[in-house]
Amino acid sequence: MAIESQPFNFGGIEESFPGGKPRYAVLPVPYDLTASYGSGMRNGPRAIIEASTHMELYDEELNCEHFACGIETLQSLESTTAGPERMIERIEAAVTGIVKRGVIPVMLGGEHSITLGAVRALKKKYKNLSVLQFDAHADMRDDYQESPFNHACVGRRISELCPIAQIGIRSLSIEEAEFLKSAAKSKEYGILTCYASAIKRKGIKDALRRALKTLTKDVFITIDLDVFDPSIMPSTGTPEPGGLAWHEVLDILKGVIEKKNIAGFDVVELAPQPGNPAPDFMAAKLAYKIMGYVNARLD
């Protein structure tokens, strides 16, 4: 399944695992077959890992170096042209292997359709799993471009498996809006959608309170980088104005991680732009920051 060794380990660290195994396994998934506007997300994982080698590994907020817990960087997962459903199955198998080792999966994308594979894998272990989704888009289409496994459908597919809390939404179709309204009245779904405009009006504390109420004990976090405003994150396939700021996202993440068990997380939809490495670095820093918040809870 693996196609290449990474040019660097995440963080540029020498892999050393306390107790014989890492706490985190970084899985690069260079896949963007269902991209519908901008492309290039297949280059995202490599750019994130390369940028991570330039980070300072000491975190001034948490007063520690997170890599000491053990971070393993896996080989890139081979893509398939057999369609997104087959790719999701391949991801599910890879993440299942990570989970069986008792390691927290950290998936780097790639486009957002890949998240479903990780959620399926983790649902086997965590029966009451829920998902925290940071995103500009609702991703609640039942199908798109003749596929129910398109990146525009990942939220809908996840909602069929477990509760989902969406943060930062500011773009959706009328069909998605109608679905979310009907889902809110039904006991079949557990969906919370916090729109970016409401977060700007009511503040982060309100969004965090609502998210914690929706989420179960065990949470998978998926971060589509277009949740951030394009002024600080222009390197995405579908940028949307009016996004969240760095500390707004971190405050919600920290608040959730302090209260919930994090089963794994991903950072997806980076489409690197030549000559502008800042978004790559931001994505790497975000992944490392999440590891730090999880470590603070576990240690």
Side-chain angles (χ1 to χ4, degrees), residues 25-42:
V26 176
L27 177 64
V29 185
Y31 181 78
D32 60 2
L33 186 65
T34 77
S36 53
Y37 184 44
S39 61
M41 284 76 78
R42 71 185 67 183

Side-chain angles (χ1 to χ4, degrees), residues 137-144 151-156 166 169 171-183 191 193 195:
H137 306 86
D139 293 342
M140 283 288 173
R141 295 176 186 268
D142 196 29
D143 64 82
Y144 191 64
H151 72 102
C153 308
V154 65
R156 183 71 166 264
Q166 303 182 303
I169 307 302
S171 178
L172 67 167
S173 67
I174 189 170
E175 292 83 5
E176 290 172 290
E178 290 174 349
F179 168 73
L180 289 172
K181 289 177 184 177
S182 64
I191 304 173
T193 302
Y195 294 98

Side-chain angles (χ1 to χ4, degrees), residues 231-268:
S231 62
I232 58 172
M233 178 49 70
S235 302
T236 67
T238 45
E240 289 284 347
L244 302 188
W246 173 253
H247 285 291
E248 288 177 319
V249 170
L250 287 191
D251 286 349
I252 296 175
L253 281 168
K254 186 176 181 180
V256 169
I257 293 170
E258 285 176 345
K259 301 291 185 180
K260 305 293 184 179
N261 174 56
I262 304 306
F265 69 90
D266 68 31
V267 177
V268 301

